[in-house]
Amino acid sequence: MTPERWAHIRETFETALALHEEARGAYLEETCQGDTAMLEEVQSLLQSEADTSPFLDTPITLETVFTAFYTEEMPVSIGVYRLLDRLGQGGMGTVFLVEQEDGALAKPLALKLLDQQRLVSRFEQEQHILRHLNHPGIARLIDAGFAPDALSSTGQRPYLVMEYVEGVPIDQYCNAHTLSVDARLQLFIQVCQAVQYAHENLVLHRDLKPSNILVEETSNGPKAKLLDFGIAKLLHPVESAAIPITRTGQYLLTPEYASPEQLRGAPIATTSDVYALGVLLYKVLTGTRPYEVQGKSAAEIEEVVHKAIPKRPSEVVDNDRFRRRLQGDLDTIVMKALRKEPGRRYRTVSDMAGDIQRHLNHLPVKARPVSLPYRFNKFIRRHRTGAIASFLIALTLLGGVISTGLQSRQVDRRSHQIRMLTASLLSDIDDAIRDLPGATKAREQLVATAVVFLDSLQQEMPRHQALQLEMANAYDQLARLQGDPHYSNLGLLSAAKKSYQKAYKIRQQLWLADSTDAALQHALAVSLGHMAVLESWTGDNNLAIKQSQDALRIMVMQRASDPTINTQYDKARIQSELGWWLIWGGRRAEGLVHLREAMQVLERIAPAHPDHLDLQLQRWRNYWYQTDGLKFTAQYQAAAQLLERKAQPHLAALAQRYPTNPRVQYGEHTVHYFLGQIYLALDDFERARAAYEASLMHAKEMIATDSTNQKAHMALAFGNSALGFWHFERGAYQQAIPYFASTVVMRHKLYLQDAENQEAANSLSTTYRILCRAYLLNEQVDQAAETCTDAIEYMVPVVEGNPIKGVLWGNQGFNYGWLARTYKAKAAQEPSLEIRTTYLTRALNNYDQSLAIMEKIFDQQAGDDNAWEFSLEALQEEHREVQVALR
């Protein structure tokens, strides 16, 4: 039998095996076409499968391959590589030490040859992953190819050639060299840095264990290298065959190091790798794993991991010195990483490594509750020299705060000190360091220090109104630096939300004591407005609307008695934000009314106050919000006129006055982005491209001004995506795909920095959906299905718990609709009746989900000329077509 004929028989057998018995006869008759010998061979294989033959479940070993095809004595060659030695064999392939026959590379390499044919697509995925990972802590991919193999259905067997790491597993290295705890931690941080890099490039490793992390000696000390991304899951799909579903019980992981969710087959995320790193750190520090699994089956291991509570690392070591060293911070860090619930672990690998580094630097770790004794102990360990003197000075200062703070004549002086200190800490120092190398970490530490200082001071301060108002103002300033989306910020949205809430609670207590005080009324309304912004950006649009309405009610009571410029500005600002959120909540006509009322105030007072930058930027922001409302209702000409005649000239004038101000730069980026959208809607492709290129240029200027500004990176993602849209709208889907794919990477990094930022999740989901559409229209249906599935998953936490209405729910409706279309397209390509029926059933289910959302939204928006991605009538017609096809 020739290899070609055997490949054809095996392919026919595997297809027939997937069909129901009643469908097999027709399939075999059509495929074999009178070839009796072939028919008998396939039927024999089917009979063997029915008799529980291990034909397919037994891996094809390298020995079989060599016996069949490589008749020469070792070493043999694969491609241009001569096999020198066999290094080992795992669940996916066998690894050989090789050298290039032409001597192009003098160093030996590692060649990995796949053992199991059914994992070919996973091997192809590994090739894609490794080609795009370039990090000193990850083994580098050199080459890839196929070796001839007549036993496989394709006649080929894939291989990868990688950098050969001449090292030993990390746990063995630590023990063989009797490394100290600090040295082990430094080595582990190297591993974390490599894994974090992979995560930032949308790759999960999913099999982190000592044998996949080798340590080699270099002139600069020991270096850890990650191997085997063979079962890594790309967070962003690749252009390769879909990964086949593995059979029950067939683990493509190492159960001893796998997370609980991974073992039960649930969706996994970066926190799954965090868990595996927790197991690894446990092993590196103690020499044992957190669970006793020796001799247990996979099912028994799963039971243990789900239910057993591991001992703390310090409880399992025999060495007294190690035990004392592990107690406290290190116990806490490891146990946090090993939490059963993903949400209670470290959110990112970087967070885990950061806590380890803080421990090494004798700084408080974030995993431990804050207490004054704990922080004091850390301070003493960091600053042994002069610690006693510092302590005495601190006591003197604290005594001064307590004694003088209680005296009313000192209140003004203390208020001035708070103002000066917060201004220096949060403004002057931040401005000085933001452009220095490594500024992001420094700014984060600056903010963390400010939080501790303000929280401690707030507990000690007397309840004097002037002092308390200064404290609230300090928390406001801190929140702006942490993550207020209207300012240059660090992307710490959740932290900013907490700081604004602290300011609100201070002002609320003061207002409850005297609700007639105009200054307190104004301050309380401002706090509600700030909190509303953060509530909207973290996904609670309804609460944002309510808080804005409450703020406006307070402003209305105050307006007659306090008609100052700031009062008018704050009311217009809050009313503008309210209008925008009403638009996003589906109440577009009502939202536009609020925006126009606010604009009348802003355009009246702004010309007289050209140096009031917040006021001038709010005027631009109102134009932006109105553009959104006009765009959502397909009033493109009106939107174009608003941008061209008012928004763009206004921002150009601001840019003349403030050429490097990041908020002005962001405004210029955004106005050109919106102009590009409007021009595309009007089919003016030349002007659209010019606008999008200008948008991207301003985003790059923002990053050049301050590379740590998260708004700049958001702008870069929008600008990059915009050029993808330009190609997309022209029908150049192949050219659009790389832009959208790279935007996914950018937005995923932003999302990882603050997973509670629902706007980041919405933007990421929307980009996945647009990428899905591009794949589908480019006839890459497998990739389309994967990306639409990702779009749905990231959108779930944004909309869950909220009533079905508004733009955010509409986005989820689009996600389901496009996933339905991808399954419908997959069904159209499928020759097998059974598989086609499966795809059509999935399409129907997703059409059901989409219609359940979109019918409610279209009903709420009756009368609007909505600019939707598809019409309700088209969606309903496609739904009926699938129902008919399934009958």
Side-chain angles (χ1 to χ4, degrees), residues 163-177:
E163 169 189 2
Y164 172 56
V165 181
E166 192 171 2
V168 296
I170 185 171
D171 59 335
Q172 296 178 24
Y173 181 90
C174 291
N175 294 332
H177 292 75

PDB file of all heavy atoms in Angstrom, residues 163-177:
ATOM      1  N   GLU A 163      16.195  27.256  19.890  1.00  0.00           N
ATOM      2  CA  GLU A 163      17.419  27.471  20.648  1.00  0.00           C
ATOM      3  C   GLU A 163      17.561  26.343  21.682  1.00  0.00           C
ATOM      4  O   GLU A 163      16.603  26.002  22.375  1.00  0.00           O
ATOM      5  CB  GLU A 163      17.308  28.839  21.338  1.00  0.00           C
ATOM      6  CG  GLU A 163      18.348  29.130  22.368  1.00  0.00           C
ATOM      7  CD  GLU A 163      18.021  30.406  23.130  1.00  0.00           C
ATOM      8  OE1 GLU A 163      16.958  31.018  22.864  1.00  0.00           O
ATOM      9  OE2 GLU A 163      18.820  30.772  23.996  1.00  0.00           O
ATOM     10  N   TYR A 164      18.744  25.766  21.750  1.00  0.00           N
ATOM     11  CA  TYR A 164      18.990  24.701  22.729  1.00  0.00           C
ATOM     12  C   TYR A 164      19.436  25.340  24.040  1.00  0.00           C
ATOM     13  O   TYR A 164      20.415  26.079  24.085  1.00  0.00           O
ATOM     14  CB  TYR A 164      20.051  23.732  22.224  1.00  0.00           C
ATOM     15  CG  TYR A 164      20.501  22.723  23.258  1.00  0.00           C
ATOM     16  CD1 TYR A 164      19.573  21.888  23.885  1.00  0.00           C
ATOM     17  CD2 TYR A 164      21.843  22.621  23.616  1.00  0.00           C
ATOM     18  CE1 TYR A 164      19.980  20.962  24.823  1.00  0.00           C
ATOM     19  CE2 TYR A 164      22.253  21.701  24.561  1.00  0.00           C
ATOM     20  CZ  TYR A 164      21.322  20.871  25.171  1.00  0.00           C
ATOM     21  OH  TYR A 164      21.716  19.952  26.116  1.00  0.00           O
ATOM     22  N   VAL A 165      18.704  25.053  25.090  1.00  0.00           N
ATOM     23  CA  VAL A 165      19.012  25.598  26.407  1.00  0.00           C
ATOM     24  C   VAL A 165      19.727  24.511  27.204  1.00  0.00           C
ATOM     25  O   VAL A 165      19.132  23.488  27.559  1.00  0.00           O
ATOM     26  CB  VAL A 165      17.731  26.042  27.144  1.00  0.00           C
ATOM     27  CG1 VAL A 165      18.090  26.616  28.505  1.00  0.00           C
ATOM     28  CG2 VAL A 165      16.969  27.062  26.307  1.00  0.00           C
ATOM     29  N   GLU A 166      20.995  24.734  27.469  1.00  0.00           N
ATOM     30  CA  GLU A 166      21.791  23.740  28.189  1.00  0.00           C
ATOM     31  C   GLU A 166      21.689  24.040  29.684  1.00  0.00           C
ATOM     32  O   GLU A 166      22.580  24.607  30.309  1.00  0.00           O
ATOM     33  CB  GLU A 166      23.244  23.787  27.726  1.00  0.00           C
ATOM     34  CG  GLU A 166      24.073  22.610  28.192  1.00  0.00           C
ATOM     35  CD  GLU A 166      25.439  22.575  27.534  1.00  0.00           C
ATOM     36  OE1 GLU A 166      25.732  23.488  26.744  1.00  0.00           O
ATOM     37  OE2 GLU A 166      26.190  21.629  27.798  1.00  0.00           O
ATOM     38  N   GLY A 167      20.562  23.665  30.244  1.00  0.00           N
ATOM     39  CA  GLY A 167      20.332  23.964  31.644  1.00  0.00           C
ATOM     40  C   GLY A 167      19.603  22.835  32.342  1.00  0.00           C
ATOM     41  O   GLY A 167      19.381  21.764  31.770  1.00  0.00           O
ATOM     42  N   VAL A 168      19.231  23.093  33.587  1.00  0.00           N
ATOM     43  CA  VAL A 168      18.506  22.098  34.377  1.00  0.00           C
ATOM     44  C   VAL A 168      17.235  22.740  34.895  1.00  0.00           C
ATOM     45  O   VAL A 168      17.139  23.975  35.000  1.00  0.00           O
ATOM     46  CB  VAL A 168      19.362  21.588  35.556  1.00  0.00           C
ATOM     47  CG1 VAL A 168      20.590  20.853  35.059  1.00  0.00           C
ATOM     48  CG2 VAL A 168      19.769  22.735  36.477  1.00  0.00           C
ATOM     49  N   PRO A 169      16.215  21.929  35.226  1.00  0.00           N
ATOM     50  CA  PRO A 169      14.977  22.495  35.752  1.00  0.00           C
ATOM     51  C   PRO A 169      15.225  23.387  36.964  1.00  0.00           C
ATOM     52  O   PRO A 169      16.129  23.138  37.767  1.00  0.00           O
ATOM     53  CB  PRO A 169      14.163  21.255  36.123  1.00  0.00           C
ATOM     54  CG  PRO A 169      14.645  20.206  35.180  1.00  0.00           C
ATOM     55  CD  PRO A 169      16.121  20.477  35.032  1.00  0.00           C
ATOM     56  N   ILE A 170      14.426  24.400  37.080  1.00  0.00           N
ATOM     57  CA  ILE A 170      14.669  25.459  38.067  1.00  0.00           C
ATOM     58  C   ILE A 170      14.713  24.925  39.491  1.00  0.00           C
ATOM     59  O   ILE A 170      15.538  25.360  40.298  1.00  0.00           O
ATOM     60  CB  ILE A 170      13.617  26.577  37.923  1.00  0.00           C
ATOM     61  CG1 ILE A 170      13.944  27.747  38.860  1.00  0.00           C
ATOM     62  CG2 ILE A 170      12.208  26.069  38.127  1.00  0.00           C
ATOM     63  CD1 ILE A 170      13.092  28.981  38.619  1.00  0.00           C
ATOM     64  N   ASP A 171      13.843  23.960  39.844  1.00  0.00           N
ATOM     65  CA  ASP A 171      13.863  23.447  41.209  1.00  0.00           C
ATOM     66  C   ASP A 171      15.146  22.664  41.483  1.00  0.00           C
ATOM     67  O   ASP A 171      15.745  22.784  42.560  1.00  0.00           O
ATOM     68  CB  ASP A 171      12.627  22.603  41.482  1.00  0.00           C
ATOM     69  CG  ASP A 171      12.503  21.423  40.534  1.00  0.00           C
ATOM     70  OD1 ASP A 171      13.057  21.487  39.413  1.00  0.00           O
ATOM     71  OD2 ASP A 171      11.852  20.428  40.906  1.00  0.00           O
ATOM     72  N   GLN A 172      15.595  21.866  40.493  1.00  0.00           N
ATOM     73  CA  GLN A 172      16.836  21.116  40.664  1.00  0.00           C
ATOM     74  C   GLN A 172      18.033  22.055  40.774  1.00  0.00           C
ATOM     75  O   GLN A 172      18.953  21.823  41.563  1.00  0.00           O
ATOM     76  CB  GLN A 172      17.034  20.155  39.492  1.00  0.00           C
ATOM     77  CG  GLN A 172      15.972  19.066  39.397  1.00  0.00           C
ATOM     78  CD  GLN A 172      16.199  18.171  38.191  1.00  0.00           C
ATOM     79  OE1 GLN A 172      17.306  18.053  37.683  1.00  0.00           O
ATOM     80  NE2 GLN A 172      15.122  17.542  37.722  1.00  0.00           N
ATOM     81  N   TYR A 173      18.019  23.121  39.980  1.00  0.00           N
ATOM     82  CA  TYR A 173      19.122  24.077  40.031  1.00  0.00           C
ATOM     83  C   TYR A 173      19.215  24.721  41.410  1.00  0.00           C
ATOM     84  O   TYR A 173      20.300  24.840  41.987  1.00  0.00           O
ATOM     85  CB  TYR A 173      18.944  25.150  38.960  1.00  0.00           C
ATOM     86  CG  TYR A 173      20.066  26.161  38.932  1.00  0.00           C
ATOM     87  CD1 TYR A 173      21.180  25.947  38.131  1.00  0.00           C
ATOM     88  CD2 TYR A 173      20.021  27.315  39.712  1.00  0.00           C
ATOM     89  CE1 TYR A 173      22.226  26.861  38.110  1.00  0.00           C
ATOM     90  CE2 TYR A 173      21.055  28.229  39.707  1.00  0.00           C
ATOM     91  CZ  TYR A 173      22.157  27.997  38.905  1.00  0.00           C
ATOM     92  OH  TYR A 173      23.193  28.899  38.907  1.00  0.00           O
ATOM     93  N   CYS A 174      18.083  25.151  41.952  1.00  0.00           N
ATOM     94  CA  CYS A 174      18.072  25.817  43.263  1.00  0.00           C
ATOM     95  C   CYS A 174      18.617  24.892  44.345  1.00  0.00           C
ATOM     96  O   CYS A 174      19.398  25.314  45.213  1.00  0.00           O
ATOM     97  CB  CYS A 174      16.650  26.261  43.610  1.00  0.00           C
ATOM     98  SG  CYS A 174      16.029  27.612  42.590  1.00  0.00           S
ATOM     99  N   ASN A 175      18.213  23.628  44.304  1.00  0.00           N
ATOM    100  CA  ASN A 175      18.650  22.683  45.331  1.00  0.00           C
ATOM    101  C   ASN A 175      20.116  22.291  45.145  1.00  0.00           C
ATOM    102  O   ASN A 175      20.873  22.186  46.115  1.00  0.00           O
ATOM    103  CB  ASN A 175      17.763  21.441  45.323  1.00  0.00           C
ATOM    104  CG  ASN A 175      16.333  21.760  45.733  1.00  0.00           C
ATOM    105  OD1 ASN A 175      16.110  22.716  46.484  1.00  0.00           O
ATOM    106  ND2 ASN A 175      15.376  21.002  45.245  1.00  0.00           N
ATOM    107  N   ALA A 176      20.534  22.070  43.889  1.00  0.00           N
ATOM    108  CA  ALA A 176      21.911  21.658  43.634  1.00  0.00           C
ATOM    109  C   ALA A 176      22.901  22.739  44.046  1.00  0.00           C
ATOM    110  O   ALA A 176      24.022  22.439  44.473  1.00  0.00           O
ATOM    111  CB  ALA A 176      22.085  21.305  42.161  1.00  0.00           C
ATOM    112  N   HIS A 177      22.499  24.004  43.913  1.00  0.00           N
ATOM    113  CA  HIS A 177      23.396  25.105  44.252  1.00  0.00           C
ATOM    114  C   HIS A 177      23.097  25.687  45.635  1.00  0.00           C
ATOM    115  O   HIS A 177      23.674  26.713  46.005  1.00  0.00           O
ATOM    116  CB  HIS A 177      23.292  26.214  43.198  1.00  0.00           C
ATOM    117  CG  HIS A 177      23.835  25.836  41.866  1.00  0.00           C
ATOM    118  ND1 HIS A 177      23.159  24.986  41.006  1.00  0.00           N
ATOM    119  CD2 HIS A 177      25.002  26.162  41.234  1.00  0.00           C
ATOM    120  CE1 HIS A 177      23.870  24.827  39.902  1.00  0.00           C
ATOM    121  NE2 HIS A 177      24.989  25.530  40.007  1.00  0.00           N
TER     122      HIS A 177
END
